[in-house]
Amino acid sequence: MEFFIDSADIEAIRELCAFLPIDGVTTNPTIITKSGKEPQQVFDELCEVLTEDQKIIAQVVSADYDGMLAEADKLASIRGGKNIVVKIPVTREGLRAIPAVKAKGITVLATGIYSPDQAFWAAKAGADYLAPYVNRMCSYGDGVGQVVELVHTLAQYGFEAKVCAASFKNVDQVHKLLASGCPAVTVNPDTIRDMVDHPGTAIAMDEFAAHWEKAYGRTTL
Ligand code: G3P
């Protein structure tokens, strides 16, 4: 399975990649604007911080078919195209663009998915990844349950498209998707930290150290 960081915060990406086997980074137009940097600077820094084995997943901004195709070419040239994935929204124009971008040999992630039915059409259009917005879907119903169901629907039809569940707001949502066998997730840095830094573990380690020091007068073996 693949685990991506959903962020353009270079320091957070550097911090998490230093101790976690992260498979890459996903961005979207809002995430890039939040960095306060020009898009090219963000892409340059991502290329610096990530190895070529870690994917960079970046989104087109244009809403029309021709613009999406031109921007897909531009994004696909980042890092010489090595492990670059282009995000295309599941609008009518986007669904038309997905097979055309795929035909250029570019890996495509269909994004902005709010329903399993949109995901179905993006899979049928040939997208490699499908990004349902789990937390945002929760505003309309059982977002987590619908995405779990999507994973099973795709398997039943033998679609090659992988679900890359996105838009998480808490660890429980991520946990439920991981437990379902979801092949990819992209998670914001704070939620990743919450997955790892359990307060119970810190308390247990402090207790071990205190007991050891009291018995042996040192904190090493
Ligand atoms: O990558 C896009 C997706 O994760 C959106 O997340 O937090 O804006 O709902 P959010």
Side-chain angles (χ1 to χ4, degrees), residues 10-206:
I10 300 297
E11 285 323 309
I13 292 165
R14 205 190 298 277
E15 168 205 330
L16 295 171
C17 285
F19 69 100
L20 294 174
I22 296 293
D23 296 295
V25 162
T26 57
T27 67
N28 63 33
T30 299
I31 285 174
I32 298 222
T33 59
K34 276 186 186 161
S35 73
K37 298 172 187 167
E38 283 297 312
Q40 190 57 51
Q41 189 185 344
V42 173
F43 297 136
D44 288 346
E45 290 178 3
L46 287 176
C47 291
E48 205 182 293
V49 157
L50 300 173
T51 68
E52 287 199 342
D53 291 332
Q54 292 172 305
K55 293 190 169 85
I56 296 176
I57 304 177
Q59 188 167 334
V60 297
V61 180
S62 289
D64 65 293
Y65 173 85
D66 290 331
M68 288 180 187
L69 261 60
E71 290 177 8
D73 282 337
K74 203 169 169 184
L75 293 170
S77 72
I78 295 170
R79 205 168 56 180
K82 183 92 170 56
N83 265 327
I84 302 298
V85 178
V86 173
K87 292 171 87 171
I88 299 182
V90 291
T91 57
R92 290 186 176 204
E93 292 291 286
L95 286 166
R96 201 178 138 218
I98 288 169
V101 173
K102 281 286 301 169
K104 293 165 177 278
I106 297 171
T107 306
V108 170
L109 181 151
T111 193
I113 293 174
Y114 276 71
S115 80
D117 310 290
Q118 289 177 307
F120 165 81
W121 281 113
K124 194 143 170 52
D128 299 281
Y129 292 93
L130 310 167
Y133 282 6
V134 176
N135 187 67
R136 297 192 197 193
M137 288 169 72
C138 289
S139 300
Y140 300 91
D142 179 11
V144 171
Q146 285 185 325
V147 179
V148 169
E149 181 191 81
L150 173 62
V151 172
H152 296 141
T153 304
L154 295 172
Q156 275 177 340
Y157 282 112
F159 280 126
E160 287 188 6
K162 286 184 188 179
V163 174
C164 175
S167 175
F168 290 105
K169 284 294 163 285
N170 59 59
V171 173
D172 185 53
Q173 292 171 338
V174 182
H175 167 80
K176 286 184 172 132
L177 265 297
L178 294 179
S180 80
C182 187
V185 295
T186 184
V187 183
N188 65 75
D190 281 343
T191 304
I192 296 175
R193 292 184 188 104
D194 287 346
M195 289 177 79
V196 176
D197 302 325
H198 198 292
T201 304
I203 291 167
M205 294 309 113
D206 286 348

